[in-house]
Amino acid sequence: MEIILLNNVKKLYDNELYASVIPTASLLHTLLQNDRSLATSELEYQVLLYYGNACYYERQYRVAIKHFNAALLMRKSMIRYKNVHLAAIENTCEQFGEIETRYRLATCYRDLGEHSQAVATLQALPAKSRTPKVNMLQAKLVQQGGSSNTTEAILAYKDVLRECPLAMEAIEALLELGVNGIEVNSLVVNASSVPKNIEWLSNWIKAHAQMYSRNHLEASKTFQSINDNTKFHQNEHLVTLIGKSLYYYGNSTQAQLYLEMAAMINPHNWDAIMPLSVVYEYNQKLQGLDKLTAQMTNIHEFTSGHWFVMAQSFYAHGMLEKASSFAYKALTLNPRNVEAQLLRGKICLRTKRHKDGIHFFRAAQCVANYRFEVYKGLFYCYMGMKRCKEAQTMCALAVRYFRNLPRSYVMFARTLIHSSHPHPKKSAKKVIGKALEIDEYYAPAVALMAELCQAEGETQEAIALLKKQVINYPHYRLFTMLGDILAGEKDLNGALEYYTTALSMEPTYQRALEGVNALGKVSWSNNKNEQDTSMTSSTNQDEEWPIECDEPSIEAVELLSSPAVAHDDGESDTFSDPFWQDVDAELTN
């Protein structure tokens, strides 16, 4: 009877009727347990493997783990006693080999969140017998385990590339772990199985190396060259990488174009959709975000990406409690969802829960230390907690780590403007100049430089700077800023022209509407000087120009202008002399 049952279990398994395999294999297993005279080692070994694999396919991982472990123990006993049937059994079904069994056992442990057990299961295999998929799983488990010792993961990824040089996931992981791009390129090019005519791959590796080393603009240019000069033009992954690089750089306008294109090519491309939802919120394109969210509600199977897009939508509409709840659900499904970690940190900043915000930004830093938002978020959290020494450290790290990113210099300059120390305050213009050297059309730097010029009485320089910017990259806020400056110079016709242009781009922009109304009052009044002074004062002193492309500047304004900036321990300024001297040296070099 046991042979008949085994044959039927095998037939059910071969026909992939795994749910039917489970009860039948259970009956046979009980039969062998109750009558040991029938239980030969080879028969019991096969039953355990059929039973365990069926449970694996049916996602009954706890039961699968039990039977896989019992099968491996039985296998060890069969080797010890030199059972001649073992080789025949494993040759009959390749899924019954030790490598595949341990791989599936490790997968079960991983899906149950028991990463250390999964790693130990794979480490029991001799290094030479590990297949690329085993090495890939082991490397990912070690990397995602959060261990500071990444040597094992790096070695495993390298083993993958030696056999599969086009394993893009392994290439990106090595670069993310800090392996030099030249070394990775050499490893790929010198692999025995590398295909011919893959010159583009060296640029692909170079671009990823630039992205993970925080040279985001250069990365976008390298990806763009692949897109323009090869037959991979408008490939969804390539377009996504261009968009993400621009998003990391802070150019949300250009990032939106590429991310929208990637999402149009593949509406289920979460690597594009998640940053696109953030970019929509940055650019105040709430209609586009609402449309993206509406698409999510028509899908019944929710992933981490689904929950994040919903959370981002609630955040954009000011529903912070729901946004936090949905971001938590996104992290439950994928703890390495960087966008969800950053969003929870931003929610904590909005709600003044700075200690919790530090936790979320630190968690994001462990996964993606190449993201500027991590350091900016930590900086504002420490400022809100009056822990100014830590805030100094974060600001210095931002400048040092992101030397080629104007966002770091803009953040630093905004801080210097609010400083009570005379030397740093005077040097804000120098810092903004450094940002404009990197990118002369970076809108936040242009707006802040114009603001500084106007404050120092260099009105014509401010006007020239803004006009140059709007010719190449029109922005309704910059047009409004020009209108304010010209109104202050009593050029009412010029001011009206710029206000009108701003409203044609954004009809509901309140500041431009107020500017037009103020001009109307001036034109109907005989007391122009009084009205001009009133208008200029209201537009230039009460509000800082929030042209930041990475997040709303409300948080920055509130934190930097609040009493939290001042020390309670008697220090006169947020930024000490030694700190400023260190950063000044960084800028000079």
Side-chain angles (χ1 to χ4, degrees), residues 404-429:
N404 298 318
L405 197 68
R407 299 169 80 188
S408 61
Y409 297 103
V410 170
M411 182 182 79
F412 188 43
R414 286 190 183 279
T415 306
L416 296 178
I417 290 170
H418 290 272
S419 173
S420 60
H421 198 288
H423 180 54
K425 194 166 187 176
K426 290 179 181 178
S427 299
K429 201 169 181 180

Side-chain angles (χ1 to χ4, degrees), residues 146-380:
S147 174
S148 57
N149 184 8
T150 58
T151 305
E152 185 178 354
I154 290 172
L155 292 174
Y157 281 128
K158 287 182 177 180
D159 287 338
V160 173
L161 288 181
R162 288 188 182 98
E163 293 191 50
C164 304
L166 288 181
M168 299 297 188
E169 188 178 14
I171 292 173
E172 293 178 26
L174 284 172
L175 295 169
E176 188 175 357
L177 289 170
V179 179
N180 187 276
I182 297 174
E183 181 183 350
V184 175
N185 186 64
S186 176
L187 187 67
V188 172
V189 172
N190 295 328
S192 58
S193 57
V194 65
K196 297 180 180 180
N197 302 321
I198 57 166
E199 293 80 6
W200 60 269
L201 187 57
S202 294
N203 281 333
W204 184 281
I205 295 171
K206 176 184 176 182
H208 278 92
Q210 290 169 333
M211 185 170 70
Y212 291 122
S213 61
R214 307 181 181 95
N215 293 320
H216 303 309
L217 183 60
E218 294 303 316
S220 70
K221 291 178 180 178
T222 308
F223 283 127
Q224 186 68 59
S225 70
I226 300 173
N227 186 60
D228 294 342
N229 302 322
T230 67
K231 294 182 180 180
F232 301 132
H233 184 63
Q234 292 191 349
N235 171 266
E236 64 169 285
H237 297 290
L238 193 53
V239 174
T240 299
L241 288 167
I242 297 171
K244 286 175 69 175
S245 297
L246 291 168
Y247 163 55
Y248 297 160
Y249 178 70
N251 189 339
S252 59
T253 303
Q254 291 296 311
Q256 180 181 326
L257 298 177
Y258 285 99
L259 293 172
E260 283 179 333
M261 187 187 303
M264 182 175 63
I265 297 171
N266 179 6
H268 305 290
N269 181 355
W270 292 110
D271 283 341
I273 292 173
M274 286 197 293
L276 178 59
S277 66
V278 182
V279 166
Y280 276 144
E281 192 260 322
Y282 288 168
N283 294 339
Q284 292 297 297
K285 302 293 184 181
L286 298 187
Q287 187 175 359
L289 180 56
D290 291 341
K291 183 178 179 181
L292 196 65
T293 306
Q295 296 173 2
M296 303 299 102
T297 58
N298 294 328
I299 301 174
H300 297 290
E301 182 183 359
F302 269 59
T303 64
S304 179
H306 287 94
W307 290 117
F308 171 75
V309 173
M310 299 288 286
Q312 186 65 43
S313 177
F314 283 124
Y315 176 80
H317 288 88
M319 304 169 68
L320 301 185
E321 187 174 345
K322 286 188 176 181
S324 180
S325 176
F326 279 46
Y328 171 77
K329 290 181 179 180
L331 289 169
T332 301
L333 293 176
N334 180 14
R336 293 175 64 84
N337 188 329
V338 178
E339 298 297 344
Q341 294 283 14
L342 291 173
L343 179 58
R344 294 202 77 185
K346 288 162 65 177
I347 292 170
C348 290
L349 272 175
R350 284 280 186 92
T351 56
K352 310 298 182 185
R353 294 185 294 115
H354 300 109
K355 188 174 181 179
D356 292 336
I358 290 173
H359 168 75
F360 293 120
F361 286 122
R362 287 292 186 191
Q365 185 180 27
C366 291
V367 181
N369 61 6
Y370 53 88
R371 295 291 299 275
F372 172 77
E373 291 85 355
V374 169
Y375 302 90
K376 181 171 184 177
L378 287 170
F379 169 75
Y380 286 131

Side-chain angles (χ1 to χ4, degrees), residues 1-13 20-51 67 96:
M1 182 173 64
E2 68 278 5
I3 301 301
I4 295 174
L5 280 173
L6 179 63
N7 289 336
N8 277 275
V9 167
K10 182 179 184 303
K11 187 174 183 179
L12 290 169
Y13 187 87
S20 298
V21 170
I22 294 172
T24 311
S26 176
L27 290 170
L28 181 53
H29 185 255
T30 303
L31 173 64
L32 297 177
Q33 291 294 314
N34 292 335
D35 189 350
R36 299 305 296 172
S37 63
L38 303 175
T40 61
S41 56
E42 58 270 18
L43 179 59
E44 195 167 2
Y45 180 61
Q46 292 180 78
V47 172
L48 288 170
L49 287 174
Y50 281 124
Y51 201 167
H67 293 297
F96 286 2

Side-chain angles (χ1 to χ4, degrees), residues 445-457:
V446 171
L448 191 54
M449 180 63 86
E451 185 181 336
L452 291 173
C453 289
Q454 188 182 8
E456 294 178 3

Side-chain angles (χ1 to χ4, degrees), residues 1 23 28 112 117 211 258 287 303 394 397 400 410 417 420 445 452 469 471 477 493 497 508-509 519 529 537 570:
M1 182 173 64
L28 181 53
L112 292 172
Q117 290 280 6
M211 185 170 70
Y258 285 99
Q287 187 175 359
T303 64
M394 285 301 114
L397 287 176
R400 289 167 185 165
V410 170
I417 290 170
S420 60
L452 291 173
Q469 178 72 14
I471 288 172
R477 297 189 186 214
N493 291 331
E497 179 184 350
T508 61
Y509 186 45
L519 289 177
N529 289 333
S537 171

